[in-house]
Amino acid sequence: MSLAGSPHRVRSEVPGLLRRHWPLLPLAATVLFLLAPLPAGDATASGKVGPADAASLLLVFVCAVQALRGRVRELSPLGVLILGTPAVGLAVATVTAGDPYAALPGFVRYLQVFVLVPAAVVLLVRDAGEFRIAAGCFVVLALVQGAVGVVQFATHTGASYQGEDIRAVGTFGPGDVMGMATVVAYGLIVATAAALAPGLPRTVRRAAAGAALALALPLVLSFSRGAWIATLGAAVLVMVLAGIRRALKVLLALAAAGVVLVGGLGVGSEMVAERLTSITQVSSAPDQSVTDRYTMWAAAESMWRERPAAGVGLKGFPAHRDGHSSLGLSSGSDTAGAGQAYVRQPLLSPHNMYLLILSEQGLIGLTALAGGWAALLVAGLRRLAGGGPVRDCGLIAVGLLAWQLTDFLYADIGGPSTVLTGVIIGLAAWWALPPRDAAAGLTRKEARAQDPVRMLVAATLPRLAVLLAAVASVLIVAAPLVVAVLAPGLPDPGLAVQCTRLTALTVLSFGIAGYFSAALRAHRSFVPPAAIYVSYNVGIIGTMLALHALWGVRAAAAGVAVGGLLMVLVQLPAFIRNVGFGPARAKRAPRSRRDRDRPTLIAFGLIAPVIFFAVFRQSQVLVERFLAASLPSGAISHLNYAQKVAQMPMVLSLMICTVTFPVVAQAMAAGEREKARRRVEQDLALASLAVLMGTALVIGYAPQIIQVLFERGAFTHEDTLATASVMRVYGFGLLGHCLVGALSRPFFSTARPTWFPALAMGAGLLVNIVAGAFAVGWWGTYGIAAANAAGISTTAVLLLTGLGSRMVAIQVRRVAVSIGRLAVAAVAAGGTGWIAGPMIPDPTVSAALGCLLVPAMFGATGMAIRALEVTALPGQIAQFSSQLTQRFRNVR
């Protein structure tokens, strides 16, 4: 839309443009805020949060809000993979670093530049017009910075170069000599691509050609060899992609401009010639900057050879540099001029992004980052080769990405302009990863827009997320007070505060996971909600195994945070596919306050029972930690390790109900009560069989299992014995945990979930609190574990009796007798393992043989006492396998 015309028309159109494109304001600010000069006397802004970085954080926040409101474009699975994989490599490099806490700032910076900002750009830029607006900001930034640089050269007020203050650095100062060269090169590439692109108006192409020629001068005066090389390569690529004729015209124009500027007017001709010579020749006495660069490249390669998989860790290059460098490396580089005094800057990076990643993140990080960039470049070139509209956007995106990838051969990240790297990757991904078919997407959106659950999510999820994030933030800030109240008398309260802050993140993750579970159950999707317990425990155990040597007990707290995140992520694909984040808001008539609040009230009625049930269940952990705070050092660790390992049989047994539960839900929805009753009884019997067999193994071979998993480093044999003893006590509550997980699902499968499971869980929690308070003084950790078993068993009994009278008319007495017979078989099998386990000294061999002995004894005892579930086990296994296969086929 043109704004040409009267001032009144311009004033009337601008507000409309701002309303339509307001999400682009933080993106434009991220680019244009780099016009702000550095504070006086600040040699470098590296490591500091500048205005552009703050704008990028606002950009990410706006993107998150828009995503929750369903107002961003959808990414394909390939896009999610390319943009999300770098986070995995960064996490590995952080946790495996020698000092993970020192690596955290690097993790945040890399996550900002290579994951969050690119993803925000891809999701927020909705069409080619908005892409052109973002690209135009680069040209504006380049023209202003370039003009400042030319003035610096002309007035000898630039950075010091060969004894003269003539180096053009713009507002970035001598501490970031590559800053101006980088932004000017970005603008030159955008202008060149726009000048060559077919389909743009002639006036736009002519203006772009003039801007490209104007930007060539400050780029030359930057004396930045890496920027010259990258610009030449990217410009040639853009010219070739645009067409041979156009390429020849631009080359002739650039050659003429070079002759006039350097040859005719003599603008830095000698210095430019010397700089060009230094690129291709290394004399017997090369300048020290070249020597330092090659020395640091060799040091980076040496670091990688020492730790090829994960590198030395983020921010680890400076600490390991001297141990891998030759004596030819200088102590730093001299900077001065542009209004700043002389500063000796240390050499903290190899000035090669690929080698920096390789040395600090190893092959894992290099594959995740560079592999994604290469995929974007290839996909962008393929889309350009296919033709189609908005070709100018493709030329700009491919040109910018090619420049960045070439420049990384001679430079790395650092300084205020680093944030633009994330914007460029985002623009390249926008072009290379187009949205799905528009017609199919429109049909899907129209169908989903009528979904009441989706409308409910759109109305309530953003508020819930903000509320949970606020509560988590308050808990993080108030962690010292929380520790003082809940765990008085700890010998190391500082460590407890750190762990509390890590686990405080679960306020957000648990709340969102519970919300996702409720929404998915409303859509009759039961597999992802059931998988949250598996992912939660896998996250805890995996994190403890990976970080125990580095973080000690903090690894357990980090495992809880990771497990909570996995609970969300394991449901996220199904949630997006079935529910989504809400339809686009349509104009509608004004409503009363009561009508506006109705969705929130409905949401509370649907989700609150599930959330309270989950909160009461997770509160058992809080109760245990509170009671164990006064016990000797190591008690909480023993409880944590014992509980997580002991719960694995329960998690595996619940997979049975996960596969068959859709049959129960469908039968209940169709009013087929008898079919639902038979299915529930079969599930309870089969799940009880599985969990009791696992319980027998856990109780019988507890010392051997703990020794194999954890006895190394600071985890001594005494810790093994203490943890194994606690795990045996926890084992008596595994049946209760299994039954609670299985019995709660029929309650939550109705159109409106009942509050009965939450009340039953609250009663069990009360038993846990009272019994634990009395038992901890007498039996310590054993009393806490026993109280846990008593509380969860109480809940299981209440749910079993309540299910028969309220939901499904199961034969409670018959189910109880069946479970009792299986319990007898478990006692016999567990006792056999308890006696036989110590007879074999090697714990690994003993545990392996126990996996054969315990099931054999369990089956023999079950046959002897005529446990029907044992005799019918072969047929049930075959039926379960068939249902599992069919279920996975339906998922695919």
Side-chain angles (χ1 to χ4, degrees):
M1 178 181 295
S2 173
L3 293 180
S6 65
H8 175 72
R9 181 180 178 184
V10 172
R11 287 194 298 269
S12 64
E13 293 288 353
V14 168
L17 286 175
L18 291 178
R19 282 195 300 270
R20 287 195 299 272
H21 302 298
W22 75 264
L24 283 186
L25 292 178
L27 175 56
T30 302
V31 179
L32 297 179
F33 276 6
L34 287 173
L35 294 172
L38 291 174
D42 194 358
T44 178
S46 179
K48 299 182 180 179
V49 178
D53 291 304
S56 73
L57 297 179
L58 178 61
L59 172 68
V60 174
F61 176 76
V62 169
C63 177
V65 173
Q66 292 293 91
L68 290 175
R69 300 174 68 186
R71 295 186 176 181
V72 296
R73 76 175 200 166
E74 296 185 11
L75 276 179
S76 64
L78 177 61
V80 175
L81 179 65
I82 291 177
L83 296 176
T85 300
V88 178
L90 295 175
V92 172
T94 302
V95 300
T96 57
D99 187 354
Y101 281 106
L104 281 178
F107 173 78
V108 174
R109 183 62 161 166
Y110 274 84
L111 197 67
Q112 171 205 9
V113 174
F114 296 117
V115 178
L116 298 180
V117 172
V121 172
V122 173
L123 296 175
L124 284 180
V125 176
R126 292 171 293 186
D127 52 38
E130 294 187 346
F131 183 99
R132 292 168 185 141
I133 293 174
C137 292
F138 279 90
V139 179
V140 173
L141 172 65
L143 289 172
V144 176
Q145 289 286 1
V148 174
V150 171
V151 171
Q152 290 173 335
F153 176 85
T155 60
H156 286 67
T157 56
S160 177
Y161 180 73
Q162 294 188 358
E164 299 182 61
D165 293 344
I166 59 171
R167 188 168 191 174
V169 292
T171 64
F172 293 95
D176 186 14
V177 294
M178 285 292 297
M180 190 214 73
T182 298
V183 301
V184 166
Y186 289 156
L188 194 152
I189 295 300
V190 172
T192 302
L196 297 174
L200 291 180
R202 180 174 296 181
T203 55
V204 174
R205 287 191 281 114
R206 287 179 177 177
L213 290 175
L215 291 173
L217 178 58
L219 181 65
V220 170
L221 298 180
S222 69
F223 300 110
S224 297
R225 294 168 293 195
W228 293 349
I229 296 171
T231 303
L232 179 62
V236 170
L237 176 62
V238 169
M239 295 174 195
V240 172
L241 293 174
I244 300 299
R245 290 186 178 181
R246 291 189 177 91
L248 291 176
K249 291 179 181 179
V250 174
L251 285 174
L252 289 175
L254 290 176
V259 170
V260 172
L261 291 175
V262 180
L265 300 179
V267 179
S269 56
E270 294 183 1
M271 296 179 179
V272 172
E274 182 274 333
R275 203 67 168 163
L276 288 171
T277 303
S278 68
I279 295 175
T280 58
Q281 296 180 3
V282 180
S283 63
S284 58
D287 65 68
Q288 187 61 43
S289 66
V290 175
T291 301
D292 289 341
R293 190 182 303 270
Y294 292 157
T295 303
M296 289 187 294
W297 287 4
E301 182 183 1
S302 178
M303 293 178 200
W304 167 67
R305 292 184 181 278
E306 184 178 280
R307 297 189 62 183
V312 297
L314 289 175
K315 294 291 185 180
F317 182 87
H320 293 80
R321 182 199 62 184
D322 293 340
H324 296 268
S325 302
S326 66
L327 296 178
L329 183 65
S330 65
S331 60
S333 59
D334 301 331
T335 60
Q340 297 179 9
Y342 168 83
V343 175
R344 184 74 169 173
Q345 287 192 0
L347 303 175
L348 302 179
S349 67
H351 296 290
N352 182 302
M353 190 64 195
Y354 304 108
L355 289 177
L356 178 63
I357 297 173
L358 196 63
S359 62
E360 292 187 344
Q361 303 178 47
L363 289 174
I364 296 176
L366 185 65
T367 302
L369 284 168
W373 302 335
L376 290 179
L377 183 59
V378 171
L381 290 171
R382 290 184 61 183
R383 190 178 179 196
L384 265 177
V390 297
R391 188 174 174 82
D392 59 300
C393 298
L395 291 174
I396 293 172
V398 171
L400 287 174
L401 183 60
W403 187 97
Q404 193 66 70
L405 298 185
T406 305
D407 183 70
F408 276 166
L409 293 170
Y410 220 63
D412 48 43
I413 61 173
S417 62
T418 295
V419 69
L420 296 185
T421 303
V423 177
I424 285 172
I425 295 174
L427 293 177
W430 182 92
W431 168 257
L433 305 170
R436 298 173 180 175
D437 180 70
L442 182 62
T443 302
R444 185 172 61 253
K445 286 184 178 180
E446 290 175 348
R448 293 165 67 179
Q450 306 301 321
D451 182 4
V453 176
R454 181 178 171 85
M455 298 175 65
L456 182 63
V457 168
T460 58
L461 182 56
R463 302 175 188 177
L464 176 65
V466 171
L467 176 62
L468 293 174
V471 174
S473 301
V474 171
L475 185 57
I476 290 173
V477 173
L481 179 61
V482 173
V483 170
V485 173
L486 296 181
L490 286 178
D492 188 359
L495 180 61
V497 169
Q498 294 178 2
C499 293
T500 301
R501 284 173 171 161
L502 285 171
T503 54
L505 300 173
T506 59
V507 173
L508 178 60
S509 60
F510 282 8
I512 298 299
Y515 191 102
F516 283 5
S517 297
L520 287 172
R521 288 189 178 106
H523 271 270
R524 300 182 183 274
S525 178
F526 302 102
V527 174
I532 63 175
Y533 302 107
V534 179
S535 59
Y536 178 61
N537 286 285
V538 167
I540 292 175
I541 295 176
T543 304
M544 289 193 301
L545 288 174
L547 299 181
H548 182 268
L550 294 174
W551 287 10
V553 71
R554 289 174 298 187
V560 174
V562 172
L565 177 61
L566 292 179
M567 290 170 66
V568 176
L569 294 180
V570 77
Q571 299 180 93
L572 185 58
F575 183 84
I576 294 176
R577 183 173 62 253
N578 294 307
V579 183
F581 290 103
R585 297 181 182 273
K587 294 183 179 180
R588 51 184 178 268
R591 299 180 301 171
S592 66
R593 181 178 180 85
R594 179 178 179 181
D595 291 336
R596 290 196 304 268
D597 292 339
R598 188 181 301 275
T600 303
L601 297 175
I602 295 174
F604 182 81
L606 289 174
I607 299 173
V610 181
I611 292 179
F612 274 89
F613 175 81
V615 168
F616 286 154
R617 188 168 188 179
Q618 295 299 329
S619 296
Q620 291 178 315
V621 179
L622 180 62
V623 171
E624 294 174 9
R625 301 306 181 262
F626 177 80
L627 295 175
S630 59
L631 298 179
S633 177
I636 294 180
S637 296
H638 298 156
L639 287 168
N640 191 58
Y641 285 119
Q643 185 185 58
K644 298 310 173 188
V645 176
Q647 284 183 350
M648 292 308 295
M650 179 268 297
V651 172
L652 295 176
S653 67
L654 286 179
M655 291 177 62
I656 299 170
C657 300
T658 300
V659 174
T660 61
F661 187 65
V663 179
V664 178
Q666 292 173 3
M668 293 180 63
E672 300 175 353
R673 299 292 177 176
E674 181 61 23
K675 180 180 178 180
R677 179 192 67 79
R678 292 196 304 269
R679 185 67 265 177
V680 169
E681 290 182 354
Q682 292 176 9
D683 287 350
L684 290 175
L686 195 55
S688 299
L689 185 150
V691 74
L692 286 173
M693 190 182 301
T695 301
L697 182 63
V698 163
I699 292 177
Y701 287 85
Q704 291 77 15
I705 294 173
I706 297 299
Q707 187 175 356
V708 170
L709 291 177
F710 303 115
E711 190 174 310
R712 58 185 63 87
F715 199 98
T716 64
H717 188 64
E718 288 72 19
D719 293 321
T720 296
L721 297 179
T723 303
S725 300
V726 174
M727 190 168 76
R728 279 171 166 163
V729 179
Y730 268 127
F732 290 100
L734 289 182
L735 177 61
H737 281 286
C738 174
L739 293 178
V740 167
L743 292 169
S744 62
R745 300 180 187 193
F747 287 98
F748 295 141
S749 66
T750 58
R752 186 177 183 88
T754 175
W755 282 88
F756 183 79
L759 297 177
M761 196 70 240
L765 179 63
L766 181 63
V767 172
N768 189 3
I769 294 173
V770 174
F774 279 102
V776 67
W778 293 340
W779 300 312
T781 54
Y782 307 122
I784 295 175
N788 176 283
I792 199 65
S793 299
T794 300
T795 301
V797 171
L798 291 175
L799 289 178
L800 182 62
T801 55
L803 182 67
S805 60
R806 295 170 179 266
M807 303 297 300
V808 182
I810 61 172
Q811 300 178 11
V812 177
R813 181 182 180 86
R814 177 181 175 182
V815 171
V817 170
S818 299
I819 294 175
R821 291 179 179 177
L822 294 174
V824 172
V827 170
T832 302
W834 196 319
I835 297 172
M839 295 181 179
I840 300 177
D842 190 318
T844 304
V845 176
S846 179
L849 292 176
C851 293
L852 301 176
L853 177 61
V854 168
M857 190 63 187
F858 186 94
T861 307
M863 291 286 188
I865 62 176
R866 296 181 180 180
L868 297 179
E869 291 73 23
V870 176
T871 58
L873 184 60
Q876 290 177 332
I877 291 177
Q879 183 181 6
F880 171 71
S881 300
S882 175
Q883 293 173 346
L884 181 64
T885 302
Q886 184 62 36
R887 184 62 181 167
F888 280 123
R889 286 177 180 172
N890 294 337
V891 170
R892 289 198 298 268

